Amino acid sequence: MTESVRQMGALMRKEFLLEWRQRYALNGMLLYIVSAVFVCYLSFSARRGQLTPIVWNALFWIILLFTAINAIAKSFVQERAGRQLYYYTLASPQQIVLSKILYNTVLMLALAFLGFGVYAFVLGNPVKDVPLYLVALVLGAIGFSVSLTLVSGIASKAENPSTLMAVLSFPTILPLLLELLKISKNALDGLDRSVSWKEVGTVLAIDVIVLVLSLLLFPFLWRS
Amino acid sequence: MQRTPFFKSSLLALLLLSQQVMAQQPVTSGVEMADQLRADGKIWVVVAVIAAIFAGIVVYLIRLDRQIGKLEKEVNEKKSENSLRF
Amino acid sequence: MKNIWWKVLAVVIMTYVIFWGLLGPVPRQPILNESIRNVSFHVPLWFAMIILLVTSVIYSVRYLRKGRMDDDLIAVEFANTAILFGVLGCLTGAIWANFTWGDPWPNDPKLNSVAVGMLMYMAYLILRGSFDDEQRRARISAVYNIFVFAVFIPLIFILPRMTDSLHPGNGGNPAFGKYDMDNNLRMVLYPGVIGLTLIGVWITQLRVRLRRVKVAMDE
């Protein structure tokens, strides 16, 4: 047990190191979300606080969704076959997928909070219950990274991964996105928190289902 | 096909049964239904059309089934020939 | 044509459903009026689709465990037939909704979930198209099939129940059997489910056999 935890720690460290070495990719993701927010701001040519809450909310989550797909798509696509073979001899597939998921979660959390900050800065912040909105962000980051990691693993095995990544992930992420939209809308309107517990529960349940599936199914992907 | 008599008799039984039940349908609750259509017997036109469509689909499926069956036989024979030769 | 009995059964049951669904007694409901008869034709499509999808997933799991190409072939064909039924269900639902709810595509959670589900399975077919190597295609699409099914089931059964929906059984509406189902309707609905499922299995079986013949010809 402790052994496998240590191995996972090593794998995580390798992910961060790799990312740090290729800083342009990380910076690219950060710039991606900032410029996406700015493009939206300009194309609505909205001054602060002019978007209705529904549009404000939906727009933010769509930006986040695209960022997530772009960020997570590269977690498997970028790695070369030789290096994958090398991991194969080192660690079990479960450890690899868990470390990828954890790494992607951290990445998504950073992107989501940065995105929220910039978005609220340029387009105004109508959120009445900020802590609940942040909870929605955290849940979203976890959910996106868990389900997109598996999809990215699937897509990376096919011929043209980038298109396939979008096609495969949009429908599968939609249930999660709908629930998140509901929670964040409740937070936006400052509704009583007891209203949102049911949705929070559903999101957590979906996360757990997808996580368990990833652990079960990833070994089959890895072998090919 | 060998199953037609059974098929026909079951259909006949159904027709007879449905006539009886339709006569007993209650008209009390005041919700408008197509009672006149039923009374005129025009509903049979609809039933006949749909049944014809379904029959057509079934005939098509059966023909397809047979053709594939023939293909399967041919392929199996060829296979056994090949295995004899080698 | 060996083992023909279940095909006969399918035809007999479906004939019964067509006749009895149109002619048998139905409950009198305001708004729905005579269109309640659609219950015996539209609803079984969905039940049959779910049953076919479950079968497809079972074969995918079997492929992953045993690695026989034949299982993969069966899994795809079941998914294909299920997609056919799903599209038909969407079409018939749109026609019915246009008359009773006044809109062919009302913004209803169940409809949207099903549309998303269809998208997922289309993506499954696209994924299959993008591989050259057969073994690889089989393994990875089996993984995706299982994954999609696990997302699809909560999408279609749990989420619509939590929001307001026009469909019975959702969003606090009483489920089937409470107000617009009665025993007369059930007598047609359940046979309809069995009959359509059998028809679906028949179509699937034909396509599977055709594919097997093709595979044998290639060898």
Side-chain angles (χ1 to χ4, degrees):
Chain A
M1 189 62 208
T2 47
E3 178 68 14
S4 68
V5 169
R6 221 182 46 237
Q7 277 182 337
M8 279 207 18
L11 277 172
M12 286 278 292
R13 213 169 53 232
K14 157 247 141 193
E15 292 278 347
F16 280 108
L17 262 176
L18 269 182
E19 196 67 51
W20 193 245
R21 243 180 258 155
Q22 314 182 308
R23 234 163 313 166
Y24 71 93
L26 185 67
N27 291 339
M29 280 334 295
L30 295 178
L31 198 58
Y32 183 97
I33 192 164
V34 172
S35 40
V37 167
F38 204 67
V39 164
C40 290
Y41 165 64
L42 287 181
S43 41
F44 276 95
S45 70
R47 270 167 309 187
R48 298 169 62 88
Q50 277 203 335
L51 293 181
T52 55
I54 287 189
V55 177
W56 191 90
N57 194 24
L59 195 61
F60 176 63
W61 280 105
I62 289 170
I63 294 173
L64 210 58
L65 177 67
F66 275 86
T67 317
I69 288 176
N70 270 304
I72 298 175
K74 65 192 176 59
S75 65
F76 284 99
V77 177
Q78 263 188 356
E79 297 194 338
R80 269 170 234 100
R83 197 194 279 156
Q84 290 199 350
L85 207 65
Y86 178 56
Y87 295 154
Y88 187 55
T89 57
L90 282 184
S92 76
Q94 276 92 353
Q95 287 173 329
I96 291 169
V97 75
L98 257 185
S99 71
K100 289 261 187 208
I101 287 174
L102 281 176
Y103 167 74
N104 281 332
T105 310
V106 174
L107 180 69
M108 272 313 298
L109 279 176
L111 286 175
F113 282 116
L114 175 78
F116 181 65
V118 176
Y119 194 71
F121 179 68
V122 283
L123 279 164
N125 182 10
V127 178
K128 295 214 177 71
D129 187 351
V130 176
L132 186 61
Y133 206 90
L134 294 183
V135 169
L137 279 184
V138 172
L139 285 175
I142 299 170
F144 282 178
S145 62
V146 172
S147 40
L148 289 177
T149 304
L150 183 65
V151 173
S152 135
I154 293 173
S156 70
K157 303 286 178 190
E159 304 292 315
N160 51 350
S162 48
T163 331
L164 212 57
M165 177 76 192
V167 172
L168 296 184
S169 55
F170 279 134
T172 46
I173 206 120
L174 223 105
L176 193 69
L177 191 69
L178 288 179
E179 291 300 292
L180 287 169
L181 275 172
K182 240 180 267 164
I183 300 174
S184 48
K185 185 69 181 35
N186 289 349
L188 207 61
D189 295 341
L191 294 184
D192 193 54
R193 292 206 185 147
S194 58
V195 181
S196 317
W197 288 139
K198 214 165 63 177
E199 274 85 21
V200 173
T202 319
V203 170
L204 281 177
I206 295 178
D207 285 0
V208 170
I209 292 175
V210 179
L211 185 67
V212 171
L213 271 179
S214 307
L215 290 180
L216 283 178
L217 293 177
F218 190 71
F220 293 105
L221 276 182
W222 194 237
R223 236 185 272 155
S224 56
Chain B
M1 235 156 275
Q2 78 276 30
R3 64 169 184 275
T4 24
F6 166 62
F7 197 64
K8 264 189 188 158
S9 58
S10 62
L11 276 191
L12 253 171
L14 267 176
L15 296 189
L16 289 175
L17 258 175
S18 60
Q19 284 288 34
Q20 255 184 354
V21 174
M22 269 167 57
Q24 294 163 357
Q25 213 174 24
V27 201
T28 43
S29 64
V31 177
E32 229 179 275
M33 301 290 259
D35 292 317
Q36 192 56 44
L37 179 76
R38 270 147 221 291
D40 289 348
K42 289 273 167 62
I43 187 71
W44 287 99
V45 181
V46 182
V47 174
V49 167
I50 296 177
I53 293 173
F54 181 63
I57 293 174
V58 168
V59 168
Y60 176 78
L61 278 178
I62 291 171
R63 283 177 55 96
L64 202 61
D65 202 318
R66 289 211 165 153
Q67 279 172 359
I68 293 174
K70 263 184 211 159
L71 266 180
E72 275 172 342
K73 236 184 222 168
E74 271 176 36
V75 167
N76 280 338
E77 276 166 12
K78 267 193 189 155
K79 254 190 189 167
S80 53
E81 270 175 32
N82 282 350
S83 59
L84 278 180
R85 213 180 294 156
F86 291 115
Chain C
M1 281 169 90
K2 274 172 281 175
N3 274 333
I4 190 178
W5 64 269
W6 56 272
K7 291 170 189 169
V8 179
L9 188 69
V11 173
V12 170
I13 290 177
M14 281 317 288
T15 317
Y16 159 76
V17 168
I18 287 172
F19 275 77
W20 206 239
L22 289 171
L23 297 168
V26 289
R28 289 171 171 259
Q29 295 285 335
I31 303 171
L32 280 172
N33 297 341
E34 201 73 54
S35 79
I36 196 169
R37 289 179 193 278
N38 275 346
V39 168
S40 29
F41 303 107
H42 165 74
V43 181
L45 272 174
W46 294 115
F47 280 90
M49 181 191 81
I50 301 276
I51 294 171
L52 293 176
L53 284 180
V54 171
T55 326
S56 167
V57 169
I58 290 171
Y59 275 101
S60 276
V61 171
R62 237 174 75 154
Y63 173 77
L64 286 182
R65 293 182 70 182
K66 297 195 180 148
R68 273 197 312 229
M69 287 306 285
D70 204 43
D71 288 336
D72 175 60
L73 211 138
I74 297 171
V76 191
E77 290 304 346
F78 268 112
N80 267 330
T81 318
I83 290 172
L84 171 70
F85 278 15
V87 170
L88 285 178
C90 280
L91 281 179
T92 52
I95 296 168
W96 192 8
N98 198 15
F99 282 94
T100 46
W101 297 331
D103 193 350
W105 198 271
N107 192 14
D108 185 73
K110 205 143 199 165
L111 286 173
N112 294 335
S113 308
V114 157
V116 172
M118 286 294 110
L119 281 183
M120 285 189 211
Y121 278 95
M122 305 268 180
Y124 169 70
L125 294 185
I126 287 175
L127 176 71
R128 289 190 67 87
S130 71
F131 288 99
D132 291 330
D133 180 39
E134 269 181 23
Q135 293 278 337
R136 197 177 225 204
R137 166 171 59 207
R139 174 164 320 121
I140 287 163
S141 53
V143 169
Y144 188 69
N145 192 10
I146 297 167
F147 176 60
V148 153
F149 183 75
V151 180
F152 182 60
I153 288 304
L155 184 68
I156 195 170
F157 283 119
I158 299 168
L159 291 190
R161 263 167 221 279
M162 295 175 56
T163 37
D164 297 322
S165 170
L166 297 162
H167 280 89
N170 300 323
N173 282 354
F176 276 159
K178 279 280 172 57
Y179 79 115
D180 58 5
M181 284 296 268
D182 70 350
N183 284 329
N184 290 325
L185 216 46
R186 266 199 212 107
M187 289 287 291
V188 187
L189 176 64
Y190 295 142
V193 172
I194 299 169
L196 261 184
T197 311
L198 284 177
I199 296 268
V201 174
W202 189 3
I203 297 174
T204 311
Q205 189 222 27
L206 287 179
R207 295 194 53 139
V208 167
R209 279 163 60 192
L210 197 62
R211 281 223 188 188
R212 278 186 194 148
V213 169
K214 266 188 196 156
V215 169
M217 300 263 245
D218 284 344
E219 276 167 6

